[in-house]
Amino acid sequence: MLRTAVRNVLAHKARLLMTVLAVMLGVAFVSGTLVFTDTLGNAFRNQSAKSYDKVAVAVTTWAERGDEETAAVDEATLDKIRHLDGVAEATGRVSGFAGVADPDGKLIGNGWSNTGSNFAPGAGGKDAQYTFTEGTGPVKAGQIALDEETAKKGEYRVGSPVRVATNGPVKEYTLSGVFTTEDGAVNAGGSLVLFDTDVAQRLYLRPGEFKDVNVVAEPGASDTALLAAVKPLLPEDAEAKTGAALADEEAETTESGLKSLNSMLLAFAAIALFVGVFLIANTFTMLIAQRTKELALMRAVGASRRQVKRAVLLEAGVVGLIASVAGFLLGLGLATGLRSAMGAFGGKIPAGPLVVSPTAVASAFGVGVLITVFAAWLPARRAAKIPPVAAMSSVHAVATTKSLVVRNSIGGVLTLLGSAAIVAGAAQGGEDGRWILGAGAFLALIGVIVLIPLLSRPVIALARPLLAKLFGVSGKLAAQNAVRNPRRTGATASALAIGLTLVTGISVLGVTLGQAIDKMTTDNIRADYMVSMASGQPLDESALTALRKADGVAAATPQRAVWLTVGKEGVSASGVTPGDVEKTFDLKTVSGSLSSLGDGEIAVDRKTAKSHGWKTGDSVPVTYQDDKKQTLKVGALYEGNEFLSPVLIPEDLVAPHESLSDIREVWLTMDGGQSDANEKAVVDALGDNPAMSVMDRQGIRDMFGGFINTALNIMYGLLAMALVIAVLGVVNTLAMSVFERQQEIGMLRAIGLDRRRVKRMIRLEAVVISLFGAVVGVGLGTFLGWAIGKSLSADIPGYALVIPWDRLGLFLVLAGLVGVLASLWPARSGARLNMLTAIKTE
């Protein structure tokens, strides 16, 4: 039976080609994902180990500039650590944000990973953590050193002036050297600036103090013993760990992050393979239908049902194995390409070999073979039931319309249960509701797939008159062929329906959320500009002062993050400028007046006031973060604003109690509104600081809604694999259908249907099947998009369902185009059949 299986595969290799391609793409997705994440994990683990290779003990404090309460490591403590037995060297570090401008004045790097630190030379004048390729480290106040990649992007050479921004005004330094580093921030696409130690301490902490300390051990010294000796010397809140422990922690953090990426990519691989199941099952069903005589003869000469079934499954196993080998090799190329793509988008991945783990190999081959055999199981079971008497037939078995009562009943029940669960989950909302919704979506999708053969006849019947009217005989025959075998049509359309269900659902949800966010921005903001740090860190007080003095500024209010304690409960508040906050935000007053902020009172949003039982005129006792207490009067209630905390408090009241000014943004309303001149005035007031972001209203909309478009594009890209497999399914079905219908096509040619009309008939058949699958997918996807959005609506202000008719129309047009493209080869093959040879074909 094995020889028979291999012979059959070789005999039908052209007809199995699409099956091989479908399995190959799915396996490539799986193996590429596993190899890619394994390679990344190994590279980052090696980087972590290398970073702490010479570090015996690492000391960390949480001291920050302006925070006088949190202790750091001072020079005296560092000196004591250096004189401990077994210590070869102890280096103090301070760090914080530092942004470098490129030749156009724009920030180099992504903001959140742009860092600055200190150059700490040892006895030989070198800092062991950095290798200089040009020049030397900074040794006086006006010098800096840059990492190699940043220097290259900024076109800087040793001796060049470099504009650097920290949390304060931009300053110009002279570049003293360029270095290489394994620093994680640089590898993430950021930049690293090294300052002289005294300068770095003034910028990021306090003179004579260090935030972190790295201890290098003498040969033979125990890291654990050094850790025990260092701990008693440290401030109370400091933390000390061995370098090996820190390397392990970093590796675990990296692996945890990669697991999420791995799971997401494998989920899309599973979708692609699920779609491939329909293609494989269709292929083997058609092959078996075409080989009825051959299989019946095997039964007639003594083959048992089990042997026939085993032969078909062995064929599937051979196909799966071949596809798995090709898919695994393609997956290695995919992993290499993903690694290169990350580098092209600014993510620097540490050097390291491509890691091919036994798990990746076993998963790829296991998935490829098992999926193929699983998909072929039902056709194999049908093949085993072919009676020996069928060998007497002189033609291939014609697909017959069997009773679908049981199948349709099961499909109907699953669809109804799934739909009910979807509606119930959408109505309930929250995490529990979404679990119910997810289960309902799965049931509904399976139910629709089961029902698709039943749906194909009435749906395609609606299009038959139009096809006949527009395309004559070719259109009429195409519609009849599309419903001749409902099971085959259903399986072919199902693959496309699954892909478009997901794409449509994501589109409806994404466009709806995007419009809600856009509406939230429009309805809540009056300001013309928002100023913030590109790093996400708080703005310096000097930036607020400079902006208030800028030409054309009519109103300016900070959004200071404040934490108040009321009773035993914490309440988030925004420190704002009375009088200006109403000009920069659209605040709808429920009771009282926002002008009361100028009298030292507070304003509370309606929902927060209701939850605490507050009303206008009430006195609220609060405790600030410095433990000072004060009683504040509620001067106004207002409808909540998504850009502000639920309590508004005059910034003057907050200032005496906050050691660090936590200004998240500054909002500006300008005389004359948005204009190039006003924007330039704001930028100039900030000293053309590359680290500070100045956004107009459209920029604010893009910032809050841009991630949705990015997520949509990523989803579309990942789902493209499933849609490609669905297209292969249409090609495969048509190609094998043409082969199966050679005699019929020959007869049509003989009675006058020319080649052009034969091509048109096959093309229209492909378009009809594709559009049928697309209509089902778009309809189900829209329903799921509504349900998911409804379950989230309580957490999204201004939520309203948006149906992206333009995108849905585009999906249907693309589905029709897919049908045309998928039919090119089958239509050409059918039109080129020799009519006499085709008529004689059995």
Side-chain angles (χ1 to χ4, degrees):
M1 299 309 289
L2 177 62
R3 287 198 300 272
T4 302
V6 174
R7 178 182 61 79
N8 284 330
V9 169
L10 295 175
H12 304 104
K13 52 183 177 290
R15 278 175 272 172
L16 288 167
L17 176 62
M18 297 302 169
T19 296
V20 171
L21 285 175
V23 178
M24 180 184 75
L25 290 174
V27 169
F29 213 147
V30 172
S31 59
T33 295
L34 294 174
V35 171
F36 175 63
T37 52
D38 286 345
T39 299
L40 254 64
N42 182 68
F44 283 115
R45 276 194 299 274
N46 290 340
Q47 182 193 52
S48 297
K50 186 175 179 181
S51 298
Y52 294 102
D53 184 36
K54 296 180 180 180
V55 177
V57 177
V59 177
T60 303
T61 72
W62 284 266
E64 297 287 346
R65 181 172 178 260
D67 180 6
E68 301 297 334
E69 296 181 2
T70 306
V73 177
D74 56 24
E75 289 280 5
T77 303
L78 181 59
D79 194 53
K80 289 178 183 178
I81 294 173
R82 285 173 176 153
H83 286 85
L84 289 173
D85 290 338
V87 173
E89 185 180 349
T91 306
R93 301 284 180 192
V94 285
S95 60
F97 171 77
V100 180
D102 66 11
D104 297 324
K106 303 298 183 183
L107 182 68
I108 297 175
N110 48 33
W112 59 267
S113 60
N114 290 3
T115 57
S117 188
N118 62 304
F119 176 67
K126 294 183 178 181
D127 189 328
Q129 195 163 334
Y130 309 105
T131 301
F132 279 81
T133 57
E134 296 179 44
T136 61
V139 292
K140 56 184 179 180
Q143 294 181 335
I144 60 162
L146 292 176
D147 69 271
E148 194 171 46
E149 193 67 25
T150 302
K152 182 179 178 181
K153 290 177 181 176
E155 302 176 8
Y156 294 122
R157 299 281 185 271
V158 173
S160 298
V162 182
R163 297 176 70 243
V164 180
T166 53
N167 284 351
V170 181
K171 292 184 179 179
E172 192 171 278
Y173 298 85
T174 300
L175 184 64
S176 66
V178 177
F179 58 88
T180 58
T181 178
E182 293 296 326
D183 187 276
V186 176
N187 286 327
S191 62
L192 178 59
V193 181
L194 294 182
F195 299 91
D196 174 65
T197 295
D198 290 341
V199 173
Q201 287 175 329
R202 288 196 302 272
L203 287 172
Y204 300 125
L205 194 55
R206 296 178 288 268
E209 294 187 345
F210 298 95
K211 185 175 181 179
D212 307 310
V213 176
N214 291 335
V215 180
V216 179
E218 291 179 343
S222 166
D223 292 358
T224 306
L226 278 180
L227 179 64
V230 167
K231 278 187 174 180
L233 303 177
L234 301 177
E236 184 179 349
D237 295 332
E239 183 178 67
K241 294 181 179 179
T242 63
L246 277 177
D248 290 341
E249 282 185 10
E250 281 196 11
E252 287 178 10
T253 302
T254 300
E255 287 178 5
S256 177
L258 289 175
K259 279 181 182 177
S260 300
L261 174 64
N262 200 39
S263 298
M264 183 185 74
L265 292 176
L266 287 177
F268 284 96
I271 293 169
L273 288 167
F274 183 57
V275 171
V277 166
F278 293 92
L279 189 159
I280 299 164
N282 230 11
T283 300
F284 277 93
T285 297
M286 295 176 74
L287 278 176
I288 287 165
Q290 293 166 10
R291 288 161 48 200
T292 300
K293 184 175 181 180
E294 173 192 331
L295 294 171
L297 281 171
M298 288 176 63
R299 291 291 315 282
V301 298
S304 65
R305 286 187 174 186
R306 181 177 296 178
Q307 285 177 311
V308 171
K309 183 178 179 180
R310 191 184 303 157
V312 176
L313 292 178
L314 281 171
E315 285 182 46
V318 171
V319 171
L321 185 62
I322 293 170
S324 296
V325 172
F328 184 72
L329 295 175
L330 181 61
L332 294 180
L334 180 63
T336 304
L338 284 171
R339 185 173 177 172
S340 300
M342 282 189 70
F345 284 104
K348 185 180 176 184
I349 299 173
L354 201 66
V355 177
V356 183
S357 67
T359 303
V361 176
S363 298
F365 283 85
V367 164
V369 174
L370 288 175
I371 286 292
T372 311
V373 172
F374 169 76
W377 180 81
L378 191 58
R381 186 169 173 271
R382 290 174 185 158
K385 292 182 178 180
I386 295 175
V389 73
M392 301 175 64
S393 174
S394 60
V395 296
H396 297 303
V398 179
T400 59
T401 305
K402 297 182 179 180
S403 172
L404 298 174
V405 173
V406 175
R407 175 176 180 148
N408 294 339
S409 299
I410 293 172
V413 170
L414 289 175
T415 304
L416 287 173
L417 287 174
S419 300
I422 289 171
V423 173
Q428 181 172 335
E431 187 173 350
D432 291 340
R434 285 190 280 276
W435 276 108
I436 296 171
L437 197 157
F442 178 75
L443 288 175
L445 184 60
I446 298 299
V448 169
I449 290 170
V450 173
L451 281 176
I452 270 189
L454 176 67
L455 296 173
S456 64
R457 286 185 178 277
V459 173
I460 294 175
L462 294 174
R464 187 183 300 172
L466 181 62
L467 289 172
K469 185 175 181 180
L470 293 177
F471 303 103
V473 175
S474 297
K476 183 177 181 180
L477 289 172
Q480 290 175 343
N481 288 333
V483 294
R484 176 186 295 184
N485 190 327
R487 291 179 184 272
R488 180 187 303 168
T489 298
T492 305
S494 292
L496 198 57
I498 293 167
L500 280 175
T501 295
L502 297 172
V503 169
T504 302
I506 289 169
S507 296
V508 171
L509 183 61
V511 171
T512 298
L513 293 180
Q515 183 154 314
I517 290 174
D518 191 65
K519 186 175 184 296
M520 178 182 73
T521 306
T522 305
D523 291 351
N524 287 288
I525 296 173
R526 290 181 178 176
D528 297 308
Y529 298 103
M530 181 187 80
V531 178
S532 61
M533 291 293 293
S535 63
Q537 295 179 329
L539 285 158
D540 190 80
E541 195 75 35
S542 61
L544 176 59
T545 303
L547 288 169
R548 282 175 168 156
K549 295 178 180 177
D551 293 338
V553 173
T557 183
Q559 206 281 77
R560 296 179 188 267
V562 180
W563 191 252
L564 304 174
T565 303
V566 181
K568 294 183 179 180
E569 186 178 346
V571 177
S572 174
S574 291
V576 297
T577 304
D580 284 2
V581 68
E582 302 99 306
K583 299 174 183 177
T584 51
F585 294 97
D586 189 2
L587 299 172
K588 297 177 178 63
T589 306
V590 176
S591 63
S593 173
L594 290 172
S595 62
S596 62
L597 288 169
D599 300 324
E601 298 177 359
I602 62 173
V604 184
D605 79 31
R606 181 179 55 82
K607 289 183 179 179
T608 302
K610 183 178 180 181
S611 66
H612 286 84
W614 298 339
K615 59 183 181 299
T616 306
D618 285 355
S619 295
V620 179
V622 303
T623 304
Y624 294 100
Q625 284 186 293
D626 62 355
D627 293 330
K628 298 290 178 61
K629 300 180 185 295
Q630 186 176 6
T631 299
L632 300 175
K633 183 179 179 182
V634 178
L637 300 184
Y638 66 96
E639 291 292 347
N641 188 295
E642 297 302 315
F643 295 90
L644 293 168
S645 298
V647 174
L648 303 183
I649 182 170
E651 58 177 328
D652 292 343
L653 288 182
V654 177
H657 306 284
E658 300 287 333
S659 57
L660 293 174
S661 183
D662 196 355
I663 303 175
R664 295 298 174 178
E665 307 105 21
V666 175
W667 298 83
L668 305 172
T669 300
M670 310 294 291
D671 291 326
Q674 295 179 20
S675 67
D676 291 342
N678 278 338
E679 184 169 343
K680 186 176 186 306
V682 173
V683 172
D684 289 345
L686 295 169
D688 196 13
N689 191 325
M692 293 186 185
S693 169
V694 179
M695 291 186 186
D696 58 14
R697 289 187 185 179
Q698 187 57 51
I700 296 167
R701 289 193 188 104
D702 293 343
M703 179 183 70
F704 287 99
F707 74 94
I708 291 179
N709 292 327
T710 301
L712 277 177
N713 291 333
I714 292 172
M715 295 291 187
Y716 289 156
L718 292 172
L719 287 172
M721 186 73 74
L723 292 174
V724 168
I725 292 175
V727 172
L728 292 177
V730 179
V731 175
N732 203 37
T733 297
L734 288 174
M736 297 184 73
S737 179
V738 167
F739 179 83
E740 189 179 84
R741 288 153 42 196
Q742 287 184 71
Q743 190 177 65
E744 174 189 318
I745 292 172
M747 290 293 294
L748 290 171
R749 290 288 316 284
I751 61 175
L753 197 68
D754 58 22
R755 289 185 174 182
R756 181 172 59 84
R757 289 179 179 173
V758 169
K759 284 184 179 180
R760 183 186 298 166
M761 176 186 72
I762 296 171
R763 277 198 298 267
L764 289 173
E765 184 180 345
V767 171
V768 166
I769 293 174
S770 298
L771 283 176
F772 168 57
V775 167
V776 172
V778 167
L780 184 56
T782 302
F783 178 48
L784 289 178
W786 163 80
I788 297 171
K790 184 69 175 175
S791 71
L792 297 169
S793 59
D795 302 320
I796 304 172
Y799 171 85
L801 178 67
V802 179
I803 305 295
W805 296 109
D806 54 342
R807 297 194 190 194
L808 301 189
L810 178 62
F811 294 158
L812 293 176
V813 170
L814 289 176
L817 182 60
V818 160
V820 173
L821 295 176
S823 67
L824 291 178
W825 173 43
R828 186 169 178 269
S829 300
R832 294 182 65 183
L833 287 174
N834 182 290
M835 68 179 74
L836 296 179
T837 304
I839 291 172
K840 292 188 294 181
T841 299
E842 291 189 2

